[in-house]
Amino acid sequence: VADASITIPNGGRLLGTNRLSTIIELADLDTSDNLIDLTQSGSIENLTLDGRDDLNTAGTQVGINVPTGILNVNNLILTRFRSEAIYIYSAASSNRITNSMFDTFSTAIRLDTVADSEISKNYFTSGGSGTAVQADDARAVTISNNTFYDVAYGVEVGGIS
């Protein structure tokens, strides 16, 4: 259980044994915080990130916050975040999000001012609500081979080129 943000330094890796047995939960904070902050570039693989929106009923909680740099995500489960499960912005590029499951979200992946990124082979479900992928001011983003099940919006785009 994390009661503050986990910061991954440049080039760092956060690796679990497998996504069903390695689970990191956000503590009952009821304030705005991120579970993971990526400082520049890094990888996160083989684990579950749980925002515990049943406990966190106030504030903004983001699963993985990427203000710049490169994020590589593979084989994760991201569930129950009040805000974005993954938020990538401010000229971040060459991000790769693959083979992951997103469950119970308002927005699973938000891309804002992002370039040259890939979102593929993921599974999105949210009980008939939520946006799986929101892309604003994005360039050369490939979204392919994903499954969208019981979500309000699969892919929402604005200002994409």
Side-chain angles (χ1 to χ4, degrees):
V1 176
D3 60 3
S5 292
I6 298 167
T7 300
I8 298 176
N10 187 27
R13 297 177 72 192
L14 181 59
L15 303 173
T17 312
N18 73 56
R19 67 184 189 178
L20 298 178
S21 64
T22 306
I23 301 169
I24 302 172
E25 293 183 349
L26 192 58
D28 185 3
L29 303 175
D30 284 331
T31 187
S32 295
D33 205 353
N34 306 314
L35 183 53
I36 296 176
D37 283 312
L38 185 67
T39 57
Q40 287 185 11
S41 66
S43 297
I44 304 169
E45 301 178 44
N46 303 322
L47 50 90
T48 293
L49 302 177
D50 188 343
R52 295 298 308 265
D53 67 359
D54 58 328
L55 299 176
N56 289 294
T57 57
T60 301
Q61 291 87 35
V62 173
I64 303 171
N65 184 58
V66 185
T68 59
I70 301 167
L71 171 66
N72 287 304
V73 163
N74 185 48
N75 199 35
L76 297 187
I77 296 174
L78 294 104
T79 185
R80 301 190 298 177
F81 286 96
R82 286 180 46 84
S83 300
E84 295 85 2
I86 299 176
Y87 183 26
I88 305 171
Y89 57 100
S90 294
S93 64
S94 302
N95 301 285
R96 189 163 185 238
I97 302 166
T98 58
N99 303 310
S100 295
M101 179 179 156
F102 296 83
D103 180 37
T104 313
F105 50 80
S106 63
T107 302
I109 301 171
R110 181 174 173 197
L111 308 172
D112 191 358
T113 317
V114 172
D116 305 316
S117 297
E118 173 190 353
I119 299 169
S120 65
K121 301 176 187 170
N122 299 294
Y123 182 86
F124 299 88
T125 183
S126 195
S129 65
T131 300
V133 180
Q134 178 183 343
D136 295 305
D137 193 21
R139 180 179 48 82
V141 174
T142 301
I143 301 170
S144 65
N145 298 314
N146 295 287
T147 301
F148 304 100
Y149 178 77
D150 205 16
V151 297
Y153 304 99
V155 179
E156 183 180 338
V157 297
I160 199 164
S161 60

